[in-house]
Amino acid sequence: MREIDVKQITETVKNMCIDANYELSEDMKKALLDARDKEESELGKKILCQLQENLEIAASDRIPICQDTGMAVFFFKVGQDVHFVGGSLQDAINEGVKLGYTEGYLRKSVVGDPLIRKNTGDNTPAVVHYEIVPGDKVQITCAPKGFGSENMSRVFMLKPADGEEGVKNAIIQAVKDAGPNACPPMTVGVGIGGTFEKCAEMSKEALTRPVGQHSELEHIRAMEEELLTRINKLGIGPAGLGGRITALAVNINTYPTHIAGLPVAVNICCHVNRHVTITL
Ligand code: SF4
């Protein structure tokens, strides 16, 4: 059994919150550069150049890429041979978020009660998805999520008879409805199968898959490619002001489901698709 002190988790989470908000991952940087080169609309190109400049300033001056520094979302893949010592893991994660958002001067965007709506003042609590995996490592992905795009995300409880066409239409409809509100160019995370909550979680995790890395399933890969082409023909474009590049990627995760259902979740992320992964 490998012991990990939760203090290490706090420190790691703190740094990940700051890093994710100051600089995009290499895959996202490359995707945005490629988008700038491919965009045919003059205004769209100009916007992509401005986004590029914004990214460069954020990285060099160590300031947030966007004023909406998101709700702190984490995926923890915990090896079953790991024993956390020194306190509660969940408390350690929240302490790291608190320190990261305070020391990194990141906007505190979380309200403690969804109806009373008083800001918690330190961006806690985080939303943490845990998975127990074989081994003695801990893989942590930090993906702060802005709510301009989060608000445009959807879950569709389709019928099996809706089939593949029904799934594609639902995804396209979600992107059309999101339009400029999701701060395009977007990454479209999709979960197909499982249950109501499983497909939503899969769609969120799909956003953390590097842009350009496709599903290993041949039919899903084909669907990702087809949907990206169709979405980029919608004409929404960068910032929703028209153009070819509406989305950078469509990432689909799947899971077995019930004979009577076909759940589909679409989690849309804006051009600030933040995700950092480390392994302890
Ligand atoms: S949706 Fe994204 S780009 Fe838009 S305001 Fe929020 S974090 Fe910023």
Side-chain angles (χ1 to χ4, degrees), residues 66-69 145-149 181-183 270-272 274:
C66 182
Q67 45 77 31
D68 179 357
T69 52
K145 188 66 170 71
F147 262 53
S149 52
N181 295 334
C183 300
C270 57
H271 61 272
V272 192
R274 293 161 279 214

Side-chain angles (χ1 to χ4, degrees), residues 14 19 38 80 84 87 95 103 123 129 138 199 203 270 279:
K14 177 185 95 170
D19 291 347
K38 275 190 213 146
Q80 64 192 26
F84 291 103
E95 183 63 14
E103 292 179 20
N123 222 54
H129 304 283
V138 180
C199 71
S203 68
C270 57
T279 302

Side-chain angles (χ1 to χ4, degrees), residues 145-156 174 178 182 189 203-204 207 265-269:
K145 188 66 170 71
F147 262 53
S149 52
E150 188 74 351
N151 284 340
M152 305 318 294
S153 302
R154 308 269 294 272
V155 172
F156 302 87
S203 68
K204 173 77 71 196
L207 291 175
V266 183
N267 194 201
I268 295 179
C269 195

Side-chain angles (χ1 to χ4, degrees), residues 13-25 54-55 57-74 96-97 100-102 104-109 123 142-146 270 272-276:
V13 164
K14 177 185 95 170
N15 293 333
M16 290 180 95
C17 288
I18 295 173
D19 291 347
N21 271 294
Y22 288 179
E23 197 163 358
L24 289 183
S25 53
N54 178 59
L55 280 185
I57 293 170
S60 64
D61 293 4
R62 298 284 289 164
I63 55 173
I65 302 161
C66 182
Q67 45 77 31
D68 179 357
T69 52
M71 190 159 189
V73 176
F74 288 89
V97 170
Y101 275 73
T102 307
Y105 300 104
L106 307 175
R107 194 182 80 184
K108 322 299 182 290
S109 308
N123 222 54
C142 169
K145 188 66 170 71
C270 57
V272 192
N273 181 10
R274 293 161 279 214
H275 51 89
V276 182

